[in-house]
Amino acid sequence: MTKDRLADLQAGILALRSNPNNALQVVRQMSEHRTMHIKPSRWSWNRFKDFMHFYIMLGAIPAALVITYVNLFIGPARLAEIPEGYVPEAHEYFPHPITRWMAKHINKSYQQEYELMCHHIYEVEYEQKLRKAEHRIKQKMAEKQDTQAYYYQPVTSRNERSIRVNTETDIEMSGTN
Amino acid sequence: MEDPPSANGKTNSYAEFMQAVYRTVDRPVTWFREKVVVSNRPDHVYYHQKFRRVPTIDECYTDDLVCRFEAQQQFNRDKLVDSEIVQLVRQRYKECLISEQPDHTRKCAKLMADFQQVSENFCMKYSDLGPLNNVKDAYMKQKHRMLWERRHGKVGTGMKDQDAL
């Protein structure tokens, strides 16, 4: 009897309860017996554990395994004389295998960066010289006051014509107002 | 490190015991390295990079910035090489001092003179130029030193009187 009543109560079904006045009272008990456990937040601790797992399982352990394997079974290179007529590639100037791999696939070589810089300096120097020449020309023109050649700005009406054509087409199609 | 074999055949049991303790750790480790590790490694080599000589700063035109950049890079590389040379000479001198300690003034005199000469040359070329490595400043320093030597004689012999010049 009590078991059925308990099951009914937990299912939220109406129940009957007797009161001291000898009458039956309708009682609706629709909640379960669970209560909220009030406690401080564990959000920071959970996030810390997440970060620890992430950085150790995906960072430290794979890196340690790879580095151990490379150091044990591939090992550093030994120094040798450059053979006659052979030009070594950039990655063959480093001893450790991981630096060699990075020099081969990731980093730019010394020669590449050097030549890039040389070219950059060449371009910048050219622009510098042009600017200095312009300055000298303007100075001479200001001194002598005998030519307007450098100040002449050539004008094209290409843009104005196209704007006029577009405006006329718009007015034709959609009218004014 | 093992001691050399003794001259009169007598052994030191304490030293032998300590060497035996060392061997209990060293033997397995050496075996592992020689049989397992080194045998399975591929034999690859690396080389020492040699750079071609490019025109130095005194052979560059004044408005040629690319030539100046290349001279600057060569100067930087030469400075590294020269520092290593000074370091080697200094290390040799120090090792002589330590190993010949009570007689070092007599036995290491040549090495000391070499070290003095090498570090003096290094400082003549590279020192007192400020924190930035500038090849043009080094060149000007050389020019000023040559002018000074022309006027006053060798560096270290004092300045001549201004009126007498």
Side-chain angles (χ1 to χ4, degrees):
Chain A
M1 167 64 188
T2 35
K3 232 191 244 178
D4 292 339
R5 180 144 171 223
L6 196 58
D8 286 346
L9 280 174
Q10 281 178 339
I13 296 173
L14 278 177
L16 295 173
R17 186 175 74 188
S18 55
N19 66 5
N21 294 336
N22 259 353
L24 287 175
Q25 224 178 28
V26 172
V27 171
R28 189 185 288 268
Q29 293 182 336
M30 288 171 67
S31 68
E32 296 175 4
H33 193 61
R34 296 189 306 182
T35 54
M36 180 176 160
H37 184 194
I38 296 174
K39 56 184 179 177
S41 161
R42 291 181 69 81
W43 184 79
S44 313
W45 171 241
N46 290 335
R47 204 168 73 122
F48 173 73
K49 285 187 286 189
D50 289 339
F51 278 141
M52 288 297 286
H53 280 129
F54 180 82
Y55 283 112
I56 291 178
M57 303 294 272
L58 292 183
I61 290 179
L65 288 174
V66 167
I67 291 171
T68 311
Y69 176 79
V70 164
N71 275 322
L72 280 184
F73 295 110
I74 301 179
R78 67 180 165 83
L79 190 54
E81 282 294 326
I82 302 177
E84 283 293 326
Y86 175 64
V87 177
E89 296 181 36
H91 68 93
E92 288 173 11
Y93 288 120
F94 299 101
H96 196 267
I98 294 180
T99 2
R100 278 171 90 106
W101 182 84
M102 283 175 72
K104 196 170 174 187
H105 295 108
I106 297 177
N107 297 340
K108 291 193 172 81
S109 65
Y110 181 79
Q111 185 175 354
Q112 192 175 0
E113 291 198 3
Y114 187 95
E115 292 184 8
L116 284 169
M117 188 59 173
C118 281
H119 178 73
H120 175 69
I121 290 176
Y122 173 75
E123 298 265 306
V124 165
E125 194 189 354
Y126 201 85
E127 288 161 16
Q128 261 182 11
K129 287 180 175 165
L130 282 179
R131 250 182 270 126
K132 284 187 185 155
E134 277 192 47
H135 183 71
R136 286 199 299 269
I137 291 168
K138 283 198 170 150
Q139 240 184 353
K140 268 283 177 275
M141 278 166 36
E143 266 176 56
K144 296 198 166 178
Q145 297 281 332
D146 62 348
T147 176
Q148 295 285 305
Y150 195 70
Y151 293 113
Y152 171 68
Q153 302 268 14
V155 170
T156 54
S157 340
R158 205 183 319 131
N159 294 335
E160 274 72 27
R161 259 180 266 129
S162 121
I163 289 169
R164 188 180 63 199
V165 164
N166 287 341
T167 321
E168 286 175 355
T169 330
D170 286 342
I171 292 176
E172 264 188 55
M173 286 201 293
S174 45
T176 54
N177 261 41
Chain B
M1 296 290 279
E2 304 235 353
D3 289 337
S6 62
N8 53 6
K10 291 188 187 158
T11 55
N12 184 348
S13 51
Y14 173 72
E16 288 226 350
F17 171 71
M18 295 310 274
Q19 277 164 21
V21 168
Y22 174 80
R23 276 198 294 268
T24 53
V25 176
D26 188 60
R27 282 267 179 81
V29 170
T30 315
W31 175 86
F32 181 76
R33 187 182 161 82
E34 274 162 20
K35 289 286 176 299
V36 177
V37 171
V38 172
S39 320
N40 287 336
R41 280 186 184 174
D43 186 33
H44 50 247
V45 294
Y46 77 105
Y47 306 108
H48 177 73
Q49 189 162 14
K50 296 192 168 66
F51 293 94
R52 280 203 298 261
R53 299 298 295 181
V54 289
T56 47
I57 188 71
D58 55 324
E59 297 164 13
C60 285
Y61 288 118
T62 47
D63 60 350
D64 191 353
L65 288 181
V66 180
C67 182
R68 189 169 159 182
F69 168 74
E70 294 203 58
Q72 176 74 51
Q73 294 297 312
Q74 187 169 256
F75 177 77
N76 294 352
R77 293 193 297 261
D78 289 345
K79 187 167 177 176
L80 289 174
V81 170
D82 290 338
S83 324
E84 284 297 316
I85 293 174
V86 172
Q87 183 68 15
L88 284 171
V89 175
R90 187 190 293 129
Q91 198 59 34
R92 248 182 247 172
Y93 174 52
K94 273 189 185 173
E95 283 168 3
C96 174
L97 280 185
I98 290 169
S99 64
E100 314 273 0
Q101 190 48 35
D103 314 319
H104 53 275
T105 28
R106 175 171 55 88
K107 288 198 172 170
C108 303
K110 182 175 182 309
L111 281 174
M112 184 172 88
D114 285 343
F115 173 62
Q116 296 277 29
Q117 187 67 36
V118 164
S119 63
E120 186 186 315
N121 293 340
F122 182 85
C123 287
M124 259 206 277
K125 188 170 176 188
Y126 295 108
S127 76
D128 295 330
L129 294 174
L132 300 171
N133 238 348
N134 203 344
V135 64
K136 194 166 154 217
D137 287 350
Y139 185 42
M140 291 298 121
K141 182 183 174 190
Q142 184 189 30
K143 181 195 83 171
H144 290 142
R145 183 170 56 81
M146 289 166 89
L147 281 177
W148 198 93
E149 285 191 347
R150 193 200 293 179
R151 285 177 192 166
H152 303 280
K154 203 99 178 66
V155 170
T157 54
M159 267 175 87
K160 296 218 170 79
D161 199 10
Q162 193 60 25
D163 300 330
L165 276 175

